[in-house]
Amino acid sequence: MEQTTNNSQPIKNKLSILITQDGFSFCKGNKDTHTVLEFKHKSFLSKQTPENLLKEIKTTLEFSFLKEKETIDELEVFYSNTLYTLVPDAFFSEKNLTDYLKFNTKILATDYVTFDNVESISAKNVYIPYTNINNYLFEIFGEFSFKHISSTLIDLFKKEDLENKVLLNVYSTHFHAVVFKEGELQLANSFNYQTKEDFIYYLLFVLEQLELDPLNILVYLSGNIEEEDQNFKILSTYIQHIEFFTEEYSSISLSENLKIDTQRHNLLISQF
């Protein structure tokens, strides 16, 4: 399936789906009026198999979105899993997609390997989407676009400055870490965790390996983390400078009676 979207007609209503290892979010909005029309989110306490995720996604789609499928002009899917790696453009060959992943990811014969172009760092993000979910969505909607969430995070977080900074995009079972040092990407990786101690251990280990001072580095947070969370509390014990990373969505409005945790779901909301 090609990662393309039919743009022959002006796009108005868009459905964005974020699929993680432990849940998913649906966000439907109007791109002309910059309004979020509908939002659904479901999370699990543990990682789910692609089969279980597809079952739950089918239920949510059929109950909430497929009744008015004809009002959806564009579908975009974001995958958030740990099955990815970055390859600089200078060393990239589309013939070697499986080779890039096989050293840090268990690859099955049935896995479909693809890549995103991450323009801001002149690299390709090679990853494995959930083929069963892609096939189902293709049957329902036809052609649609999909990418790995880490590609979006890097492009959003990259700025032309020399600031040393870390972005942690947090979910219930894993988090993505994006680290820039003196304006250059040093690391983009994901870590599975079960406890707050796991969470802080991986971050401190990354900082140590990159020779970054926890007391001076600026750490941005996005996703499933708030100041009342245990992960935030232990993080603030070791990290002095913490901010919440928010992609600009101040011009985006919510439809009447729609309530969304904008900090937790800002990446999807910002698509409108």
Side-chain angles (χ1 to χ4, degrees), residues 166-181:
V166 177
L167 171 62
L168 302 181
N169 188 45
V170 184
Y171 301 97
S172 299
T173 61
H174 68 287
F175 68 90
H176 302 296
V178 178
V179 183
F180 280 92
K181 184 176 181 181

Side-chain angles (χ1 to χ4, degrees), residues 14-42:
K14 176 181 177 180
L15 178 62
S16 293
I17 307 175
L18 172 62
I19 302 171
T20 73
Q21 298 176 166
D22 47 35
F24 51 83
S25 301
F26 289 79
C27 190
K28 178 182 176 182
N30 187 285
K31 296 181 69 175
D32 289 343
T33 61
H34 305 292
T35 303
V36 175
L37 304 172
E38 192 172 355
F39 187 86
K40 299 290 182 183
H41 172 72
K42 186 165 187 177

Side-chain angles (χ1 to χ4, degrees), residues 8 24 34 49 53 55 85 92 121 123 130 141 157 163 177-178 199-200 203-204 207 212 243 247 251 261 263 266:
S8 59
F24 51 83
H34 305 292
T49 65
L53 282 173
K55 179 180 178 181
T85 190
F92 178 80
I121 58 170
Y130 296 137
F141 295 98
F157 200 49
E163 183 181 32
V178 178
F199 181 81
I200 193 63
L203 174 60
L204 294 179
L207 296 181
L212 293 170
E243 294 183 13
E247 172 63 1
S251 62
D261 185 338
Q263 163 58 36
N266 71 302

Side-chain angles (χ1 to χ4, degrees), residues 122-268:
S122 300
K124 300 294 188 288
N125 190 359
V126 182
Y127 67 101
I128 301 175
Y130 296 137
T131 306
N132 62 329
I133 296 175
N134 270 5
N135 290 341
Y136 167 73
L137 294 174
F138 182 76
E139 291 176 4
I140 300 298
F141 295 98
E143 292 183 350
F144 65 96
S145 62
F146 61 94
K147 65 192 306 184
H148 199 279
I149 193 65
S150 61
S151 303
T152 299
L153 289 170
I154 293 169
D155 278 337
L156 289 176
F157 200 49
K158 170 66 174 175
K159 294 180 180 179
E160 298 301 326
D161 57 39
L162 299 180
E163 183 181 32
N164 295 342
K165 55 188 180 180
V166 177
L167 171 62
L168 302 181
N169 188 45
V170 184
Y171 301 97
S172 299
T173 61
H174 68 287
F175 68 90
H176 302 296
V178 178
V179 183
F180 280 92
K181 184 176 181 181
E182 298 180 354
E184 299 293 332
L185 180 69
Q186 301 295 306
L187 176 139
N189 203 352
S190 299
F191 303 89
N192 295 315
Y193 73 93
Q194 293 181 325
T195 66
K196 64 181 186 296
E197 289 80 13
D198 295 338
F199 181 81
I200 193 63
Y201 169 80
Y202 288 124
L203 174 60
L204 294 179
F205 180 76
V206 165
L207 296 181
E208 179 184 15
Q209 295 302 304
L210 297 177
E211 299 181 347
L212 293 170
D213 185 356
L215 298 179
N216 293 321
I217 193 71
L218 179 57
V219 175
Y220 291 89
L221 302 175
S222 69
N224 188 12
I225 186 168
E226 299 174 344
E227 291 186 8
E228 295 78 15
D229 296 342
Q230 292 300 312
N231 287 337
F232 183 91
K233 292 178 179 178
I234 196 170
L235 180 68
S236 60
T237 302
Y238 294 90
I239 305 297
Q240 185 172 351
H241 305 289
I242 303 173
E243 294 183 13
F244 284 93
F245 177 74
T246 55
E247 172 63 1
E248 183 60 44
Y249 54 81
S250 59
S251 62
I252 299 174
S253 59
L254 305 181
S255 62
E256 188 175 0
N257 299 322
L258 183 63
K259 296 182 179 180
I260 304 175
D261 185 338
T262 54
Q263 163 58 36
R264 181 166 295 191
H265 304 290
N266 71 302
L267 290 178
L268 279 187

